[in-house]
């Protein structure tokens, strides 16, 4: 087991590990425990009462956080003709078609955070599944990144749209802001993400849906949130 440094031990003492905090308290405490020399990311971890091994219990989607993530998002759009022009006008960082597929294949190029594509380009992008899939970059209709409304998709990505997806341990991990955000901003982002996950509850899910809810800064301890009122 890894040894904890003095800084971590000191901030851990601020957290009562036996207690379930209300969201407002949790946001305040998370900011208080973010003591690193950089602007730490605040993350939300939701343990769900579903089984990711079953197709009818998958939980996946996307939501635009009211206050964004605090990160500058670089977009890559695969489109042609008028849709490519729309992407450029909307401010996409990179726009192209087959030539960008080749660039990714030959140069291992990943200078972007989100990939958006028109449906007709998915046949071309499919060749990149093995490299984009593990990085979570493959465009997906459920996340709104395979669409004909390219301008809207680019604008939402730039505004702080994030994708949430269940992992193999039935947990969703997502950023909800930065330590420099105000408590109200973090709380509103928290509520937006939790609300989206609750709305995406599969019909096949039985029993308690949100089993546990934890927030933490990049370098800070986990803070358990009272999930009883979340849904």
């Amino acid at each position: 087991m890894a040894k904890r440094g003095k800084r971590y031990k000191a901030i851990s003492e601020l957290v009562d590990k036996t207690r379930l905090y209300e969201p407002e308290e949790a946001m305040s405490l998370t900011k208080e425990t973010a003591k690193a020399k950089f602007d730490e990311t605040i993350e939300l971890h939701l343990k769900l009462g579903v089984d990711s091994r079953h197709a009818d219990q998958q939980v996946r989607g996307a939501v635009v956080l009211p206050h964004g993530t605090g990160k500058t998002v670089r977009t890559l759009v695969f489109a042609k003709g008028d849709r490519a022009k729309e992407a450029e006008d909307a401010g996409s960082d990179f726009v192209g078609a087959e030539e960008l597929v080749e660039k990714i294949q030959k140069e291992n190029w990943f200078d972007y955070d989100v990939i958006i594509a028109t449906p007709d380009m998915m046949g071309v992008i499919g060749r990149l599944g093995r490299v984009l899939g593990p990085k979570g970059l493959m465009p997906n209709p459920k996340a709104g990144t395979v669409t004909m409304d390219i301008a809207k998709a680019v604008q939402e990505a730039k505004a702080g749209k994030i994708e949430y997806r269940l992992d193999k341990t039935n947990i969703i991990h997502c950023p909800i802001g930065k330590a420099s955000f105000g408590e109200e901003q973090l709380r509103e982002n928290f509520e937006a993400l939790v609300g989206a996950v609750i709305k995406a509850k599969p019909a096949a899910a039985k029993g308690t849906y949100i089993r546990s809810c934890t927030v933490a800064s990049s370098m800070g301890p986990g803070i358990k949130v009272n999930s009883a009122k979340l849904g």
Side-chain angles (χ1 to χ4, degrees):
M1 187 174 179
K3 290 184 177 180
R4 299 293 191 182
K6 291 182 179 179
R7 183 199 67 83
Y8 186 89
K9 288 179 180 177
I11 59 176
S12 291
E13 290 177 359
L14 299 172
V15 181
D16 183 349
K17 294 182 180 179
T18 65
R19 182 181 168 191
L20 294 176
Y21 292 86
E22 295 305 314
E24 296 82 0
E25 297 176 295
M27 299 307 124
S28 176
L29 191 53
T30 304
K31 283 176 58 66
E32 192 177 346
T33 56
K35 298 294 185 182
K37 293 181 180 179
F38 61 93
D39 193 8
E40 296 182 55
T41 296
I42 307 301
E43 301 164 349
L44 172 61
H45 309 277
L46 291 170
K47 173 80 171 178
L48 302 184
V50 295
D51 189 340
S52 61
R53 293 174 298 177
H54 300 291
D56 62 352
Q57 293 187 47
Q58 289 295 325
V59 180
R60 182 176 185 176
V63 60
V64 178
L65 298 180
H67 304 287
T69 62
K71 177 182 178 181
T72 299
V73 177
R74 299 164 300 174
T75 57
L76 164 60
V77 172
F78 282 99
K80 293 181 177 180
D82 291 342
R83 296 292 180 263
K85 180 66 166 56
E86 280 181 30
E88 291 171 354
D89 291 345
S92 183
D93 300 271
F94 308 101
V95 181
E98 286 86 354
E99 73 280 5
L100 293 184
V101 172
E102 190 173 337
K103 182 178 175 68
I104 292 170
Q105 289 177 320
K106 292 185 176 180
E107 301 177 23
N108 206 30
W109 176 59
F110 297 106
D111 295 336
Y112 42 84
D113 305 294
V114 176
I115 297 180
I116 299 163
T118 51
D120 60 297
M121 291 300 298
M122 289 308 293
V124 177
I125 301 171
R127 287 180 270 160
L128 299 172
R130 288 185 178 180
V131 291
L132 298 181
K135 293 180 179 292
L137 289 169
M138 198 67 180
N140 185 285
K142 289 184 178 179
T145 47
V146 177
T147 177
M148 290 300 286
D149 196 343
I150 291 295
K152 180 182 178 183
V154 171
Q155 289 162 0
E156 287 185 340
K158 294 283 187 181
K161 185 176 185 177
I162 61 168
E163 183 179 356
Y164 57 86
R165 185 178 184 179
L166 205 62
D167 70 8
K168 291 180 180 179
T169 61
N170 306 316
I171 299 176
I172 287 174
H173 310 270
C174 279
I176 56 169
K178 294 285 187 178
S180 57
F181 280 26
E183 292 173 23
E184 190 71 9
Q185 291 176 308
L186 289 173
R187 186 181 62 77
E188 290 179 1
N189 279 357
F190 168 89
E191 290 176 350
L193 177 56
V194 171
V197 172
I198 291 173
K199 193 173 181 181
K201 180 180 179 180
K206 305 297 181 185
T208 303
Y209 182 49
I210 297 182
R211 295 283 178 85
S212 69
C213 175
T214 305
V215 291
S217 61
S218 302
M219 306 294 287
I223 298 165
K224 296 178 182 177
V225 181
N226 184 2
S227 60
K229 301 175 184 176
L230 299 181

